[in-house]
Amino acid sequence: MTLVIPPDMELWACTYLRGQLKDVAGLKVSNREPDGYDGSYPLVTVRDDGGSQSDRLVFDRQMGVNVRMGPRSRPKPCRDLAARVYGLLTDPAIVLQSDCPVAAITWDGCNGPYPVSEDSDIARYYLIAEYSTIGVINQ
Protein backbone atom coordinates (compact mmCIF):
# COMPACT_ATOMS: atom_id res chain seq x y z
CA MET A 1 0.00 0.00 0.00
CA THR A 2 1.26 3.47 -0.88
CA LEU A 3 0.47 6.17 1.64
CA VAL A 4 0.43 9.88 0.91
CA ILE A 5 0.98 11.99 4.02
CA PRO A 6 0.92 15.77 4.54
CA PRO A 7 4.33 17.43 4.32
CA ASP A 8 6.03 18.61 7.50
CA MET A 9 5.42 22.31 6.93
CA GLU A 10 6.81 23.36 10.30
CA LEU A 11 10.15 21.71 9.56
CA TRP A 12 10.26 23.18 6.07
CA ALA A 13 9.30 26.72 7.17
CA CYS A 14 11.75 26.76 10.09
CA THR A 15 14.61 25.55 7.89
CA TYR A 16 13.72 27.98 5.11
CA LEU A 17 13.43 31.00 7.41
CA ARG A 18 16.67 30.18 9.24
CA GLY A 19 18.47 30.13 5.90
CA GLN A 20 16.92 33.38 4.70
CA LEU A 21 17.35 35.32 7.95
CA LYS A 22 20.98 34.52 8.78
CA ASP A 23 21.73 38.24 9.00
CA VAL A 24 19.36 38.77 11.98
CA ALA A 25 21.56 38.73 15.08
CA GLY A 26 20.50 36.24 17.75
CA LEU A 27 17.45 35.02 15.81
CA LYS A 28 15.82 31.76 16.86
CA VAL A 29 13.27 30.03 14.61
CA SER A 30 11.26 27.14 16.02
CA ASN A 31 7.88 25.47 16.12
CA ARG A 32 7.41 26.44 19.76
CA GLU A 33 8.29 29.24 22.12
CA PRO A 34 11.02 28.33 24.62
CA ASP A 35 10.08 28.29 28.30
CA GLY A 36 10.91 31.58 29.96
CA TYR A 37 11.28 33.55 26.71
CA ASP A 38 11.88 37.17 27.73
CA GLY A 39 12.08 39.03 24.42
CA SER A 40 15.83 39.64 24.63
CA TYR A 41 16.40 38.07 21.21
CA PRO A 42 14.24 37.85 18.07
CA LEU A 43 12.03 34.77 17.96
CA VAL A 44 9.96 33.41 15.09
CA THR A 45 7.61 30.52 15.86
CA VAL A 46 5.83 28.60 13.12
CA ARG A 47 2.70 26.48 13.52
CA ASP A 48 1.04 24.32 10.89
CA ASP A 49 -2.69 24.93 11.37
CA GLY A 50 -3.53 22.16 8.93
CA GLY A 51 -6.12 22.22 6.22
CA SER A 52 -7.94 19.96 3.83
CA GLN A 53 -6.69 17.45 1.30
CA SER A 54 -7.91 18.63 -2.09
CA ASP A 55 -6.48 15.79 -4.18
CA ARG A 56 -4.62 12.53 -3.61
CA LEU A 57 -1.28 14.38 -3.56
CA VAL A 58 -2.39 17.93 -2.73
CA PHE A 59 -2.83 19.25 0.80
CA ASP A 60 -4.02 22.76 1.65
CA ARG A 61 -1.98 24.08 4.55
CA GLN A 62 -2.28 27.23 6.62
CA MET A 63 0.74 28.41 8.59
CA GLY A 64 0.44 30.67 11.63
CA VAL A 65 3.61 32.61 12.42
CA ASN A 66 4.45 34.66 15.51
CA VAL A 67 7.33 37.12 15.55
CA ARG A 68 8.41 38.37 18.97
CA MET A 69 11.22 40.63 20.07
CA GLY A 70 11.92 43.63 22.22
CA PRO A 71 9.59 45.64 24.43
CA ARG A 72 5.98 46.31 23.51
CA SER A 73 6.68 50.04 23.84
CA ARG A 74 9.07 49.83 20.85
CA PRO A 75 7.35 47.53 18.33
CA LYS A 76 8.99 48.83 15.12
CA PRO A 77 11.91 46.34 14.95
CA CYS A 78 9.50 43.47 15.59
CA ARG A 79 7.07 44.79 12.98
CA ASP A 80 9.87 45.13 10.42
CA LEU A 81 11.04 41.56 11.02
CA ALA A 82 7.46 40.29 10.78
CA ALA A 83 6.99 42.11 7.47
CA ARG A 84 10.19 40.52 6.17
CA VAL A 85 9.04 37.07 7.29
CA TYR A 86 5.70 37.64 5.56
CA GLY A 87 7.52 38.67 2.38
CA LEU A 88 9.69 35.57 2.47
CA LEU A 89 6.77 33.20 3.04
CA THR A 90 4.73 34.79 0.25
CA ASP A 91 7.53 35.10 -2.30
CA PRO A 92 6.37 33.18 -5.40
CA ALA A 93 9.96 31.99 -5.90
CA ILE A 94 9.69 29.65 -2.88
CA VAL A 95 8.14 27.01 -5.14
CA LEU A 96 11.53 26.80 -6.88
CA GLN A 97 13.45 26.14 -3.65
CA SER A 98 15.02 22.73 -3.23
CA ASP A 99 12.97 20.41 -1.00
CA CYS A 100 10.06 22.87 -0.86
CA PRO A 101 6.64 21.20 -0.55
CA VAL A 102 4.80 24.36 -1.67
CA ALA A 103 3.14 24.01 -5.07
CA ALA A 104 1.29 27.34 -4.94
CA ILE A 105 0.54 30.20 -2.59
CA THR A 106 -3.14 30.64 -1.75
CA TRP A 107 -3.18 34.42 -1.85
CA ASP A 108 -6.57 35.03 -0.25
CA GLY A 109 -5.44 32.96 2.73
CA CYS A 110 -2.38 35.12 3.44
CA ASN A 111 -2.84 37.82 6.06
CA GLY A 112 -0.84 40.20 8.25
CA PRO A 113 1.41 40.93 9.84
CA TYR A 114 -0.61 42.58 12.57
CA PRO A 115 0.14 43.39 16.21
CA VAL A 116 -1.05 41.09 18.97
CA SER A 117 -1.96 42.50 22.36
CA GLU A 118 -1.00 40.41 25.32
CA ASP A 119 -0.11 40.78 28.98
CA SER A 120 3.65 40.40 28.57
CA ASP A 121 5.86 43.36 27.77
CA ILE A 122 7.19 41.76 24.56
CA ALA A 123 6.27 43.08 21.12
CA ARG A 124 4.50 40.45 19.02
CA TYR A 125 3.19 40.32 15.46
CA TYR A 126 1.21 37.54 13.85
CA LEU A 127 0.85 36.53 10.22
CA ILE A 128 -0.71 33.77 8.18
CA ALA A 129 0.54 32.13 4.99
CA GLU A 130 -1.57 29.59 3.13
CA TYR A 131 -0.39 27.11 0.54
CA SER A 132 -1.28 24.24 -1.71
CA THR A 133 1.37 21.64 -0.95
CA ILE A 134 2.52 18.34 -2.34
CA GLY A 135 2.17 15.35 -0.04
CA VAL A 136 4.93 12.92 0.74
CA ILE A 137 4.67 9.44 -0.72
CA ASN A 138 5.41 6.93 2.01
CA GLN A 139 5.79 3.35 0.78
Side-chain angles (χ1 to χ4, degrees), residues 17-75:
L17 291 172
R18 282 184 201 115
Q20 297 297 312
L21 297 169
K22 288 180 181 177
D23 62 314
V24 179
L27 175 72
K28 303 282 189 245
V29 181
S30 182
N31 64 343
R32 71 170 204 84
E33 184 175 309
D35 294 336
Y37 175 70
D38 63 3
S40 61
Y41 57 88
L43 175 67
V44 176
T45 55
V46 177
R47 183 185 67 233
D48 182 348
D49 289 334
S52 62
Q53 183 174 3
S54 58
D55 196 272
R56 175 86 171 117
L57 293 173
V58 180
F59 293 84
D60 300 321
R61 283 292 175 263
Q62 188 174 65
M63 304 292 297
V65 180
N66 283 288
V67 178
R68 300 184 75 194
M69 69 184 286
R72 199 169 31 168
S73 61
R74 289 186 336 160

Side-chain angles (χ1 to χ4, degrees), residues 5-139:
I5 60 175
D8 188 337
M9 292 301 292
E10 289 178 357
L11 176 62
W12 168 79
C14 288
T15 302
Y16 172 69
L17 291 172
R18 282 184 201 115
Q20 297 297 312
L21 297 169
K22 288 180 181 177
D23 62 314
V24 179
L27 175 72
K28 303 282 189 245
V29 181
S30 182
N31 64 343
R32 71 170 204 84
E33 184 175 309
D35 294 336
Y37 175 70
D38 63 3
S40 61
Y41 57 88
L43 175 67
V44 176
T45 55
V46 177
R47 183 185 67 233
D48 182 348
D49 289 334
S52 62
Q53 183 174 3
S54 58
D55 196 272
R56 175 86 171 117
L57 293 173
V58 180
F59 293 84
D60 300 321
R61 283 292 175 263
Q62 188 174 65
M63 304 292 297
V65 180
N66 283 288
V67 178
R68 300 184 75 194
M69 69 184 286
R72 199 169 31 168
S73 61
R74 289 186 336 160
K76 179 86 166 100
C78 184
R79 186 256 172 242
D80 291 348
L81 179 58
R84 186 170 171 200
V85 168
Y86 181 86
L88 288 167
L89 292 175
T90 59
D91 180 354
I94 63 171
V95 301
L96 303 174
Q97 296 285 327
S98 165
D99 297 324
C100 179
V102 175
I105 298 168
T106 307
W107 294 107
D108 61 353
C110 297
N111 195 345
Y114 50 90
V116 176
S117 298
E118 58 186 6
D119 290 338
S120 76
D121 186 34
I122 303 169
R124 177 165 74 136
Y125 280 76
Y126 183 75
L127 59 103
I128 299 167
E130 189 172 334
Y131 306 110
S132 288
T133 66
I134 303 301
V136 177
I137 297 173
N138 190 350
Q139 297 184 9

